[in-house]
């Protein structure tokens, strides 16, 4: 009953060929279908992890939006406050009037007053005023103190003092340059458009 396994038997040869063909189909299926899909699945899993990390980062940033908006609003207020310190070209006559008013309030005499021209310095312009005045040391100090309290940025430069013994031994002659800074709107618009 039990017949032996004989490779020459066509019946066994057909079975062996069938098994070999099945193994070949399985190997081909694995290498050409399953293996690429496994790699694709692995790539997709990595992509999903990266996307999850990006979502976490964006969620964290979105939580900072109110804080950043408040900071931006604070910066806008600071810019508005600082821009008040930089007069525009139209405000120069007012600035010159403030300088002469400060000299009158301090009780000094302006003997020379020469507003210069504006010089471009990038985002701002410098407006120089050459002044010569006479008064006591304390009155000159009071004048400079009043200038420092103006809402505009004004620097004092090239300050020189000489005593005037012919008028009064307490009277001094002071030569100085006042430099006011003016916002350069043309340059500001250029740099704003470039951004």
């Amino acid at each position: 009953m039990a017949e032996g396994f004989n490779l020459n038997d066509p019946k066994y040869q057909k079975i062996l060929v069938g098994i070999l063909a099945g193994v070949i189909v399985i190997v081909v299926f694995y290498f050409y279908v399953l293996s690429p899909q496994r790699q694709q699945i692995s790539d997709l899993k990595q992509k999903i992890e990266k996307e999850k990390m990006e979502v976490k980062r964006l969620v964290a940033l979105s939580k900072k939006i109110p804080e950043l908006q408040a900071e931006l609003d604070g910066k806008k207020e600071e810019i508005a406050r600082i821009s008040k310190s930089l007069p525009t070209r139209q405000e120069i006559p007012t600035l010159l009037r403030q300088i002469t008013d400060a000299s009158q309030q301090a009780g000094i005499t302006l003997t020379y007053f020469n507003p210069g021209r504006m010089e471009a310095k990038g985002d701002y312009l410098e407006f120089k005023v050459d002044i010569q005045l006479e008064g006591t040391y304390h009155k000159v100090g009071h004048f400079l103190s009043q200038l420092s309290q103006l809402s505009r940025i004004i620097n004092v430069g090239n300050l020189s003092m000489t005593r005037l013994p012919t008028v009064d031994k307490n009277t001094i002659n002071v030569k100085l340059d006042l430099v006011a800074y003016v916002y350069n709107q043309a340059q500001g618009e250029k740099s704003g458009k470039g951004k």
Side-chain angles (χ1 to χ4, degrees):
M1 293 227 160
E3 290 182 27
F5 180 72
N6 185 1
L7 280 176
N8 291 330
D9 188 2
K11 177 173 130 184
Y12 287 120
Q13 286 178 351
K14 288 180 184 178
I15 292 173
L16 195 57
V17 168
I19 290 174
L20 189 60
V23 169
I24 291 174
V25 168
I26 290 172
V27 168
V28 168
F29 179 77
Y30 176 79
F31 282 110
Y32 289 102
V33 177
L34 278 183
S35 184
Q37 285 184 352
R38 278 187 159 167
Q39 184 61 40
Q40 189 177 11
I41 289 170
S42 175
D43 293 344
L44 289 173
K45 283 182 180 179
Q46 288 178 355
K47 188 175 180 181
I48 289 171
E49 287 303 315
K50 286 180 183 177
E51 295 296 327
K52 283 181 181 178
M53 295 294 284
E54 182 66 13
V55 167
K56 286 181 183 178
R57 187 183 73 79
L58 292 174
V59 167
L61 285 176
S62 70
K63 290 179 181 177
K64 289 184 176 183
I65 288 175
E67 177 186 329
L68 293 173
Q69 185 64 44
E71 185 179 337
L72 177 64
D73 292 342
K75 294 294 182 187
K76 285 180 181 178
E77 290 172 9
E78 185 177 348
I79 288 170
R81 182 181 52 77
I82 290 172
S83 68
K84 289 179 182 176
S85 300
L86 294 173
T88 61
R89 290 178 189 259
Q90 294 82 11
E91 295 170 327
I92 291 298
T94 304
L95 181 63
L96 295 175
R97 198 172 318 110
Q98 288 174 332
I99 292 170
T100 56
D101 289 347
S103 69
Q104 290 171 354
Q105 289 174 2
I108 59 172
T109 305
L110 283 175
T111 58
Y112 181 74
F113 190 86
N114 182 23
R117 58 187 175 94
M118 293 195 197
E119 294 182 28
K121 300 288 184 177
D123 290 343
Y124 65 93
L125 303 168
E126 280 187 355
F127 178 68
K128 189 186 271 187
V129 181
D130 294 329
I131 294 178
Q132 192 169 348
L133 48 95
E134 291 179 1
T136 65
Y137 180 80
H138 293 289
K139 288 181 180 182
V140 171
H142 183 66
F143 168 70
L144 294 175
S145 173
Q146 285 185 315
L147 288 181
S148 72
Q149 293 178 15
L150 292 176
S151 62
R152 303 294 179 201
I153 299 172
I154 299 175
N155 284 340
V156 177
N158 298 327
L159 180 77
S160 65
M161 293 185 216
T162 55
R163 194 169 62 113
L164 294 175
T166 57
V167 178
D168 180 357
K169 69 177 187 172
N170 293 327
T171 303
I172 57 174
N173 181 23
V174 178
K175 293 179 183 179
L176 57 96
D177 296 333
L178 296 179
V179 180
Y181 299 95
V182 178
Y183 178 63
N184 189 354
Q185 289 176 317
Q187 184 66 28
E189 289 171 2
K190 283 181 187 176
S191 61
K193 287 180 183 176
K195 290 182 179 177

mmCIF file of all heavy atoms in Angstrom, residues 54-72:
data_model
loop_
_atom_site.group_PDB
_atom_site.id
_atom_site.type_symbol
_atom_site.label_atom_id
_atom_site.label_comp_id
_atom_site.label_asym_id
_atom_site.label_seq_id
_atom_site.Cartn_x
_atom_site.Cartn_y
_atom_site.Cartn_z
ATOM 1 N N GLU A 54 5.048 68.613 13.464
ATOM 2 C CA GLU A 54 4.739 69.941 12.909
ATOM 3 C C GLU A 54 3.436 70.475 13.498
ATOM 4 O O GLU A 54 3.333 71.645 13.835
ATOM 5 C CB GLU A 54 4.659 69.869 11.378
ATOM 6 C CG GLU A 54 4.399 71.185 10.713
ATOM 7 C CD GLU A 54 5.518 72.199 10.849
ATOM 8 O OE1 GLU A 54 6.637 71.826 11.266
ATOM 9 O OE2 GLU A 54 5.271 73.368 10.545
ATOM 10 N N VAL A 55 2.449 69.601 13.639
ATOM 11 C CA VAL A 55 1.169 70.008 14.240
ATOM 12 C C VAL A 55 1.391 70.454 15.688
ATOM 13 O O VAL A 55 0.859 71.482 16.114
ATOM 14 C CB VAL A 55 0.132 68.859 14.147
ATOM 15 C CG1 VAL A 55 -1.063 69.134 15.036
ATOM 16 C CG2 VAL A 55 -0.307 68.657 12.715
ATOM 17 N N LYS A 56 2.201 69.712 16.441
ATOM 18 C CA LYS A 56 2.500 70.097 17.827
ATOM 19 C C LYS A 56 3.184 71.451 17.875
ATOM 20 O O LYS A 56 2.872 72.286 18.721
ATOM 21 C CB LYS A 56 3.382 69.036 18.504
ATOM 22 C CG LYS A 56 2.663 67.783 18.867
ATOM 23 C CD LYS A 56 3.598 66.789 19.543
ATOM 24 C CE LYS A 56 2.899 65.488 19.856
ATOM 25 N NZ LYS A 56 3.794 64.508 20.473
ATOM 26 N N ARG A 57 4.123 71.662 16.947
ATOM 27 C CA ARG A 57 4.835 72.941 16.912
ATOM 28 C C ARG A 57 3.873 74.081 16.599
ATOM 29 O O ARG A 57 3.899 75.135 17.220
ATOM 30 C CB ARG A 57 5.952 72.879 15.866
ATOM 31 C CG ARG A 57 6.870 74.092 15.841
ATOM 32 C CD ARG A 57 7.899 73.989 14.733
ATOM 33 N NE ARG A 57 7.343 74.193 13.420
ATOM 34 C CZ ARG A 57 7.060 75.378 12.891
ATOM 35 N NH1 ARG A 57 7.290 76.471 13.575
ATOM 36 N NH2 ARG A 57 6.553 75.476 11.687
ATOM 37 N N LEU A 58 2.997 73.855 15.614
ATOM 38 C CA LEU A 58 2.035 74.895 15.236
ATOM 39 C C LEU A 58 1.021 75.161 16.345
ATOM 40 O O LEU A 58 0.626 76.307 16.565
ATOM 41 C CB LEU A 58 1.328 74.515 13.935
ATOM 42 C CG LEU A 58 2.216 74.501 12.681
ATOM 43 C CD1 LEU A 58 1.442 73.974 11.485
ATOM 44 C CD2 LEU A 58 2.768 75.881 12.402
ATOM 45 N N VAL A 59 0.620 74.126 17.042
ATOM 46 C CA VAL A 59 -0.296 74.311 18.177
ATOM 47 C C VAL A 59 0.387 75.135 19.264
ATOM 48 O O VAL A 59 -0.218 76.045 19.841
ATOM 49 C CB VAL A 59 -0.782 72.952 18.720
ATOM 50 C CG1 VAL A 59 -1.452 73.093 20.066
ATOM 51 C CG2 VAL A 59 -1.722 72.288 17.721
ATOM 52 N N ALA A 60 1.652 74.832 19.532
ATOM 53 C CA ALA A 60 2.393 75.605 20.529
ATOM 54 C C ALA A 60 2.520 77.063 20.090
ATOM 55 O O ALA A 60 2.371 77.983 20.912
ATOM 56 C CB ALA A 60 3.777 74.993 20.758
ATOM 57 N N LEU A 61 2.780 77.290 18.801
ATOM 58 C CA LEU A 61 2.866 78.666 18.300
ATOM 59 C C LEU A 61 1.512 79.365 18.365
ATOM 60 O O LEU A 61 1.436 80.551 18.687
ATOM 61 C CB LEU A 61 3.379 78.671 16.857
ATOM 62 C CG LEU A 61 4.869 78.401 16.675
ATOM 63 C CD1 LEU A 61 5.214 78.336 15.194
ATOM 64 C CD2 LEU A 61 5.695 79.467 17.355
ATOM 65 N N SER A 62 0.458 78.632 18.065
ATOM 66 C CA SER A 62 -0.870 79.260 18.098
ATOM 67 C C SER A 62 -1.241 79.682 19.516
ATOM 68 O O SER A 62 -1.970 80.650 19.700
ATOM 69 C CB SER A 62 -1.928 78.323 17.520
ATOM 70 O OG SER A 62 -2.162 77.232 18.385
ATOM 71 N N LYS A 63 -0.733 78.979 20.510
ATOM 72 C CA LYS A 63 -0.992 79.370 21.894
ATOM 73 C C LYS A 63 -0.253 80.654 22.253
ATOM 74 O O LYS A 63 -0.650 81.375 23.155
ATOM 75 C CB LYS A 63 -0.591 78.244 22.851
ATOM 76 C CG LYS A 63 -1.516 77.049 22.760
ATOM 77 C CD LYS A 63 -1.091 75.941 23.691
ATOM 78 C CE LYS A 63 -2.027 74.754 23.554
ATOM 79 N NZ LYS A 63 -1.633 73.620 24.387
ATOM 80 N N LYS A 64 0.835 80.951 21.517
ATOM 81 C CA LYS A 64 1.613 82.162 21.774
ATOM 82 C C LYS A 64 1.046 83.381 21.044
ATOM 83 O O LYS A 64 1.515 84.487 21.269
ATOM 84 C CB LYS A 64 3.066 81.959 21.344
ATOM 85 C CG LYS A 64 3.845 81.023 22.225
ATOM 86 C CD LYS A 64 5.294 80.973 21.778
ATOM 87 C CE LYS A 64 6.127 80.110 22.690
ATOM 88 N NZ LYS A 64 7.528 80.111 22.293
ATOM 89 N N ILE A 65 0.085 83.182 20.156
ATOM 90 C CA ILE A 65 -0.439 84.293 19.350
ATOM 91 C C ILE A 65 -0.943 85.446 20.215
ATOM 92 O O ILE A 65 -0.585 86.594 19.960
ATOM 93 C CB ILE A 65 -1.512 83.800 18.349
ATOM 94 C CG1 ILE A 65 -0.835 83.011 17.239
ATOM 95 C CG2 ILE A 65 -2.303 84.969 17.763
ATOM 96 C CD1 ILE A 65 -1.788 82.372 16.250
ATOM 97 N N PRO A 66 -1.758 85.216 21.247
ATOM 98 C CA PRO A 66 -2.215 86.355 22.057
ATOM 99 C C PRO A 66 -1.049 87.107 22.713
ATOM 100 O O PRO A 66 -1.040 88.338 22.754
ATOM 101 C CB PRO A 66 -3.118 85.722 23.113
ATOM 102 C CG PRO A 66 -3.553 84.419 22.522
ATOM 103 C CD PRO A 66 -2.414 83.974 21.654
ATOM 104 N N GLU A 67 -0.062 86.362 23.191
ATOM 105 C CA GLU A 67 1.110 86.986 23.812
ATOM 106 C C GLU A 67 1.880 87.825 22.789
ATOM 107 O O GLU A 67 2.274 88.964 23.059
ATOM 108 C CB GLU A 67 2.019 85.897 24.392
ATOM 109 C CG GLU A 67 3.300 86.390 24.989
ATOM 110 C CD GLU A 67 4.207 85.240 25.412
ATOM 111 O OE1 GLU A 67 3.688 84.173 25.800
ATOM 112 O OE2 GLU A 67 5.428 85.419 25.356
ATOM 113 N N LEU A 68 2.084 87.247 21.593
ATOM 114 C CA LEU A 68 2.796 87.972 20.544
ATOM 115 C C LEU A 68 1.993 89.176 20.054
ATOM 116 O O LEU A 68 2.565 90.221 19.736
ATOM 117 C CB LEU A 68 3.117 87.033 19.378
ATOM 118 C CG LEU A 68 4.121 85.919 19.691
ATOM 119 C CD1 LEU A 68 4.221 84.950 18.510
ATOM 120 C CD2 LEU A 68 5.478 86.486 20.012
ATOM 121 N N GLN A 69 0.668 89.050 20.007
ATOM 122 C CA GLN A 69 -0.181 90.171 19.590
ATOM 123 C C GLN A 69 -0.084 91.304 20.604
ATOM 124 O O GLN A 69 0.006 92.475 20.236
ATOM 125 C CB GLN A 69 -1.640 89.705 19.441
ATOM 126 C CG GLN A 69 -2.567 90.764 18.898
ATOM 127 C CD GLN A 69 -2.226 91.176 17.487
ATOM 128 O OE1 GLN A 69 -1.954 90.342 16.647
ATOM 129 N NE2 GLN A 69 -2.244 92.460 17.214
ATOM 130 N N ALA A 70 -0.082 90.949 21.892
ATOM 131 C CA ALA A 70 0.061 91.971 22.936
ATOM 132 C C ALA A 70 1.422 92.649 22.825
ATOM 133 O O ALA A 70 1.532 93.872 22.977
ATOM 134 C CB ALA A 70 -0.114 91.331 24.312
ATOM 135 N N GLU A 71 2.464 91.865 22.545
ATOM 136 C CA GLU A 71 3.799 92.437 22.380
ATOM 137 C C GLU A 71 3.840 93.370 21.164
ATOM 138 O O GLU A 71 4.426 94.449 21.211
ATOM 139 C CB GLU A 71 4.830 91.313 22.213
ATOM 140 C CG GLU A 71 6.254 91.792 22.150
ATOM 141 C CD GLU A 71 7.251 90.649 22.014
ATOM 142 O OE1 GLU A 71 6.922 89.504 22.391
ATOM 143 O OE2 GLU A 71 8.363 90.915 21.536
ATOM 144 N N LEU A 72 3.191 92.948 20.069
ATOM 145 C CA LEU A 72 3.127 93.779 18.870
ATOM 146 C C LEU A 72 2.391 95.088 19.149
ATOM 147 O O LEU A 72 2.832 96.158 18.733
ATOM 148 C CB LEU A 72 2.441 93.015 17.733
ATOM 149 C CG LEU A 72 2.241 93.772 16.426
ATOM 150 C CD1 LEU A 72 3.591 94.117 15.804
ATOM 151 C CD2 LEU A 72 1.401 92.955 15.463
#
